[in-house]
Amino acid sequence: MEVGIDSFASAMYGSKELSSVDAMEQLLDRIEAADHAGLDVFGIGEHHKKEFLDSATAVILAAAAARTKRIRLTSAVTVLSAADPVRVYQSFATLDLISKGRAELVVGRGSSIEAYPLFGFNLNDYDALFKEKLDLLLKIRDNEFITWQGRFRAPLDNLPVYPRPLQEKLPIWLGVGGTPESFARAGTLGLPLMVAVIGGETHRFRPLVDLYREAGKRAGFTPEQLKVGLHSPGYVATTNEQAISDYYPGYAELWTKLGRERGWPPVTRPQFDSLTAPKGVLVVGGPEQVAEKLLRHSEALGGVDRFTFQMDNAGLSHKQLLKSIELIGERVIPLVNVQTN
């Protein structure tokens, strides 16, 4: 199992708001630390809000590429519905050249919707936009010269798209939430699947992952081609008790705030405890507990090829995040590898 981290480039840690310059510098330090610690992948999301600095994902990843040697660098996710597939491909092909073949994309429709009005798109076209733009992006990946026509973008008549990446085929994952159609679409296209599970119990997604694998099998893809990734909130500290003590206050504050915006009830400690329980989604604990949970989640979903922690959204300090990265590399990954090899 590959293990990595996803970040939304938050400029907020605890009650202290960092300057954007300091927050970006600390983020790049953490990506470099993850590379040194032996993590497999680091992803940067895409938002267009004041509290996040990740609106230009490929720019951040390019800066990280210049400071790292081996870690794979990916979006998490690119809101493809509100973007131009030609420019997305060019940006990540350029990143692939800068990083010497370490670039990837996770594309999705986006759970945050601020990009749609910002770039002049109608939310009523939410799925149609994504379907059409994904079709174009995959055609660009597979062909140097493109002839294509759609509803939302000007047609292309035998036009080339440059640059081409170092990798023969730029990896494109499909990021999904809980919509069955999205799981089936990924399988039909033979794309690796990145499942974002941020609440409840992870094993409840097994029927949807099975739907993905069955759709892929019907489309003629092998099990090896149908990779499954899992993205969930998490954090590792030296002990289980320390991890929960560090993580709970910021988590409760954030999700209670989001709840006020989206109509959810406030976070309670019993609710949090259920999420950190063996079947709960939060991967929070000491190295042994976290490794056990990653293996348990993998078994529950019929096998997971990649897991990424979302951990810089719970009021944790830069120092705490760096320590967590160190523990993931030195203790969690070896424990997981012992059980999976």
mmCIF file of all heavy atoms in Angstrom, residues 106-128:
data_model
loop_
_atom_site.group_PDB
_atom_site.id
_atom_site.type_symbol
_atom_site.label_atom_id
_atom_site.label_comp_id
_atom_site.label_asym_id
_atom_site.label_seq_id
_atom_site.Cartn_x
_atom_site.Cartn_y
_atom_site.Cartn_z
ATOM 1 N N VAL A 106 -5.565 13.827 -9.772
ATOM 2 C CA VAL A 106 -6.846 13.284 -9.330
ATOM 3 C C VAL A 106 -7.887 14.317 -9.741
ATOM 4 O O VAL A 106 -7.811 15.475 -9.320
ATOM 5 C CB VAL A 106 -6.905 13.049 -7.812
ATOM 6 C CG1 VAL A 106 -8.268 12.484 -7.426
ATOM 7 C CG2 VAL A 106 -5.798 12.108 -7.361
ATOM 8 N N VAL A 107 -8.811 13.935 -10.591
ATOM 9 C CA VAL A 107 -9.809 14.880 -11.095
ATOM 10 C C VAL A 107 -11.180 14.517 -10.538
ATOM 11 O O VAL A 107 -11.484 13.356 -10.280
ATOM 12 C CB VAL A 107 -9.846 14.905 -12.641
ATOM 13 C CG1 VAL A 107 -8.497 15.326 -13.204
ATOM 14 C CG2 VAL A 107 -10.261 13.557 -13.219
ATOM 15 N N GLY A 108 -12.009 15.539 -10.358
ATOM 16 C CA GLY A 108 -13.352 15.315 -9.847
ATOM 17 C C GLY A 108 -14.234 16.507 -10.124
ATOM 18 O O GLY A 108 -13.802 17.520 -10.694
ATOM 19 N N ARG A 109 -15.483 16.388 -9.684
ATOM 20 C CA ARG A 109 -16.433 17.485 -9.858
ATOM 21 C C ARG A 109 -16.301 18.530 -8.763
ATOM 22 O O ARG A 109 -16.702 19.668 -8.943
ATOM 23 C CB ARG A 109 -17.861 16.923 -9.881
ATOM 24 C CG ARG A 109 -18.120 16.000 -11.053
ATOM 25 C CD ARG A 109 -19.506 15.406 -11.036
ATOM 26 N NE ARG A 109 -19.720 14.551 -9.870
ATOM 27 C CZ ARG A 109 -20.836 13.867 -9.646
ATOM 28 N NH1 ARG A 109 -21.839 13.956 -10.516
ATOM 29 N NH2 ARG A 109 -20.962 13.096 -8.584
ATOM 30 N N GLY A 110 -15.725 18.120 -7.623
ATOM 31 C CA GLY A 110 -15.496 19.060 -6.534
ATOM 32 C C GLY A 110 -16.633 19.090 -5.544
ATOM 33 O O GLY A 110 -17.806 19.207 -5.930
ATOM 34 N N SER A 111 -16.315 18.956 -4.260
ATOM 35 C CA SER A 111 -17.351 19.061 -3.228
ATOM 36 C C SER A 111 -17.599 20.513 -2.840
ATOM 37 O O SER A 111 -18.660 20.836 -2.301
ATOM 38 C CB SER A 111 -16.929 18.266 -1.978
ATOM 39 O OG SER A 111 -15.704 18.757 -1.463
ATOM 40 N N SER A 112 -16.626 21.409 -3.109
ATOM 41 C CA SER A 112 -16.822 22.843 -2.938
ATOM 42 C C SER A 112 -17.182 23.440 -4.293
ATOM 43 O O SER A 112 -16.585 23.100 -5.314
ATOM 44 C CB SER A 112 -15.545 23.487 -2.405
ATOM 45 O OG SER A 112 -15.224 22.990 -1.119
ATOM 46 N N ILE A 113 -18.159 24.331 -4.293
ATOM 47 C CA ILE A 113 -18.743 24.759 -5.571
ATOM 48 C C ILE A 113 -18.356 26.179 -5.976
ATOM 49 O O ILE A 113 -18.841 26.685 -6.979
ATOM 50 C CB ILE A 113 -20.284 24.645 -5.520
ATOM 51 C CG1 ILE A 113 -20.837 25.548 -4.402
ATOM 52 C CG2 ILE A 113 -20.697 23.194 -5.318
ATOM 53 C CD1 ILE A 113 -22.358 25.599 -4.366
ATOM 54 N N GLU A 114 -17.441 26.820 -5.219
ATOM 55 C CA GLU A 114 -17.146 28.223 -5.500
ATOM 56 C C GLU A 114 -16.471 28.426 -6.850
ATOM 57 O O GLU A 114 -16.511 29.529 -7.415
ATOM 58 C CB GLU A 114 -16.287 28.814 -4.385
ATOM 59 C CG GLU A 114 -14.852 28.323 -4.324
ATOM 60 C CD GLU A 114 -14.668 27.022 -3.568
ATOM 61 O OE1 GLU A 114 -15.669 26.478 -3.041
ATOM 62 O OE2 GLU A 114 -13.525 26.537 -3.492
ATOM 63 N N ALA A 115 -15.854 27.383 -7.418
ATOM 64 C CA ALA A 115 -15.177 27.526 -8.706
ATOM 65 C C ALA A 115 -16.161 27.739 -9.855
ATOM 66 O O ALA A 115 -15.812 28.356 -10.861
ATOM 67 C CB ALA A 115 -14.316 26.300 -8.994
ATOM 68 N N TYR A 116 -17.374 27.246 -9.732
ATOM 69 C CA TYR A 116 -18.324 27.313 -10.848
ATOM 70 C C TYR A 116 -18.709 28.754 -11.196
ATOM 71 O O TYR A 116 -18.513 29.196 -12.343
ATOM 72 C CB TYR A 116 -19.545 26.453 -10.551
ATOM 73 C CG TYR A 116 -19.235 24.969 -10.564
ATOM 74 C CD1 TYR A 116 -18.663 24.346 -9.470
ATOM 75 C CD2 TYR A 116 -19.481 24.202 -11.699
ATOM 76 C CE1 TYR A 116 -18.356 22.997 -9.481
ATOM 77 C CE2 TYR A 116 -19.182 22.847 -11.732
ATOM 78 C CZ TYR A 116 -18.612 22.248 -10.615
ATOM 79 O OH TYR A 116 -18.297 20.920 -10.636
ATOM 80 N N PRO A 117 -19.251 29.539 -10.266
ATOM 81 C CA PRO A 117 -19.540 30.932 -10.633
ATOM 82 C C PRO A 117 -18.284 31.753 -10.910
ATOM 83 O O PRO A 117 -18.305 32.658 -11.754
ATOM 84 C CB PRO A 117 -20.293 31.476 -9.404
ATOM 85 C CG PRO A 117 -19.906 30.588 -8.271
ATOM 86 C CD PRO A 117 -19.691 29.230 -8.889
ATOM 87 N N LEU A 118 -17.173 31.429 -10.238
ATOM 88 C CA LEU A 118 -15.945 32.182 -10.436
ATOM 89 C C LEU A 118 -15.470 32.117 -11.877
ATOM 90 O O LEU A 118 -14.973 33.100 -12.438
ATOM 91 C CB LEU A 118 -14.858 31.650 -9.491
ATOM 92 C CG LEU A 118 -13.521 32.377 -9.490
ATOM 93 C CD1 LEU A 118 -13.688 33.823 -9.012
ATOM 94 C CD2 LEU A 118 -12.517 31.641 -8.602
ATOM 95 N N PHE A 119 -15.633 30.948 -12.510
ATOM 96 C CA PHE A 119 -15.174 30.764 -13.890
ATOM 97 C C PHE A 119 -16.320 30.745 -14.895
ATOM 98 O O PHE A 119 -16.135 30.357 -16.053
ATOM 99 C CB PHE A 119 -14.340 29.489 -13.988
ATOM 100 C CG PHE A 119 -13.070 29.567 -13.179
ATOM 101 C CD1 PHE A 119 -12.914 28.828 -12.019
ATOM 102 C CD2 PHE A 119 -12.043 30.414 -13.561
ATOM 103 C CE1 PHE A 119 -11.761 28.909 -11.264
ATOM 104 C CE2 PHE A 119 -10.872 30.503 -12.819
ATOM 105 C CZ PHE A 119 -10.740 29.760 -11.659
ATOM 106 N N GLY A 120 -17.508 31.148 -14.449
ATOM 107 C CA GLY A 120 -18.615 31.356 -15.385
ATOM 108 C C GLY A 120 -19.377 30.116 -15.785
ATOM 109 O O GLY A 120 -19.964 30.080 -16.879
ATOM 110 N N PHE A 121 -19.414 29.095 -14.906
ATOM 111 C CA PHE A 121 -20.139 27.868 -15.222
ATOM 112 C C PHE A 121 -21.395 27.748 -14.364
ATOM 113 O O PHE A 121 -21.470 28.273 -13.253
ATOM 114 C CB PHE A 121 -19.246 26.646 -15.024
ATOM 115 C CG PHE A 121 -18.087 26.598 -15.977
ATOM 116 C CD1 PHE A 121 -16.805 26.943 -15.565
ATOM 117 C CD2 PHE A 121 -18.281 26.233 -17.304
ATOM 118 C CE1 PHE A 121 -15.739 26.922 -16.436
ATOM 119 C CE2 PHE A 121 -17.209 26.209 -18.193
ATOM 120 C CZ PHE A 121 -15.943 26.547 -17.767
ATOM 121 N N ASN A 122 -22.374 27.034 -14.908
ATOM 122 C CA ASN A 122 -23.674 26.877 -14.265
ATOM 123 C C ASN A 122 -23.699 25.573 -13.482
ATOM 124 O O ASN A 122 -23.426 24.501 -14.035
ATOM 125 C CB ASN A 122 -24.777 26.872 -15.337
ATOM 126 C CG ASN A 122 -26.162 26.974 -14.744
ATOM 127 O OD1 ASN A 122 -26.430 26.508 -13.636
ATOM 128 N ND2 ASN A 122 -27.068 27.591 -15.485
ATOM 129 N N LEU A 123 -24.055 25.644 -12.199
ATOM 130 C CA LEU A 123 -24.109 24.442 -11.377
ATOM 131 C C LEU A 123 -25.131 23.436 -11.868
ATOM 132 O O LEU A 123 -25.045 22.246 -11.562
ATOM 133 C CB LEU A 123 -24.415 24.815 -9.923
ATOM 134 C CG LEU A 123 -23.207 25.025 -9.013
ATOM 135 C CD1 LEU A 123 -23.648 25.533 -7.657
ATOM 136 C CD2 LEU A 123 -22.410 23.740 -8.876
ATOM 137 N N ASN A 124 -26.101 23.889 -12.640
ATOM 138 C CA ASN A 124 -27.072 22.951 -13.211
ATOM 139 C C ASN A 124 -26.415 21.993 -14.201
ATOM 140 O O ASN A 124 -26.977 20.948 -14.522
ATOM 141 C CB ASN A 124 -28.213 23.712 -13.909
ATOM 142 C CG ASN A 124 -29.087 24.468 -12.930
ATOM 143 O OD1 ASN A 124 -29.264 24.029 -11.796
ATOM 144 N ND2 ASN A 124 -29.632 25.594 -13.351
ATOM 145 N N ASP A 125 -25.235 22.361 -14.684
ATOM 146 C CA ASP A 125 -24.487 21.517 -15.620
ATOM 147 C C ASP A 125 -23.402 20.701 -14.909
ATOM 148 O O ASP A 125 -22.458 20.216 -15.547
ATOM 149 C CB ASP A 125 -23.828 22.386 -16.701
ATOM 150 C CG ASP A 125 -24.841 23.144 -17.524
ATOM 151 O OD1 ASP A 125 -25.904 22.580 -17.824
ATOM 152 O OD2 ASP A 125 -24.575 24.324 -17.849
ATOM 153 N N TYR A 126 -23.520 20.543 -13.590
ATOM 154 C CA TYR A 126 -22.498 19.950 -12.725
ATOM 155 C C TYR A 126 -21.907 18.666 -13.290
ATOM 156 O O TYR A 126 -20.695 18.550 -13.470
ATOM 157 C CB TYR A 126 -23.145 19.684 -11.364
ATOM 158 C CG TYR A 126 -22.245 19.176 -10.272
ATOM 159 C CD1 TYR A 126 -21.308 20.013 -9.672
ATOM 160 C CD2 TYR A 126 -22.370 17.880 -9.796
ATOM 161 C CE1 TYR A 126 -20.504 19.560 -8.637
ATOM 162 C CE2 TYR A 126 -21.565 17.417 -8.756
ATOM 163 C CZ TYR A 126 -20.631 18.259 -8.185
ATOM 164 O OH TYR A 126 -19.842 17.795 -7.167
ATOM 165 N N ASP A 127 -22.755 17.694 -13.624
ATOM 166 C CA ASP A 127 -22.243 16.406 -14.098
ATOM 167 C C ASP A 127 -21.922 16.438 -15.590
ATOM 168 O O ASP A 127 -20.940 15.834 -16.023
ATOM 169 C CB ASP A 127 -23.240 15.289 -13.807
ATOM 170 C CG ASP A 127 -22.642 13.910 -14.066
ATOM 171 O OD1 ASP A 127 -21.656 13.570 -13.380
ATOM 172 O OD2 ASP A 127 -23.136 13.193 -14.956
ATOM 173 N N ALA A 128 -22.726 17.140 -16.360
ATOM 174 C CA ALA A 128 -22.484 17.196 -17.805
ATOM 175 C C ALA A 128 -21.136 17.842 -18.113
ATOM 176 O O ALA A 128 -20.410 17.406 -19.010
ATOM 177 C CB ALA A 128 -23.619 17.966 -18.493
#
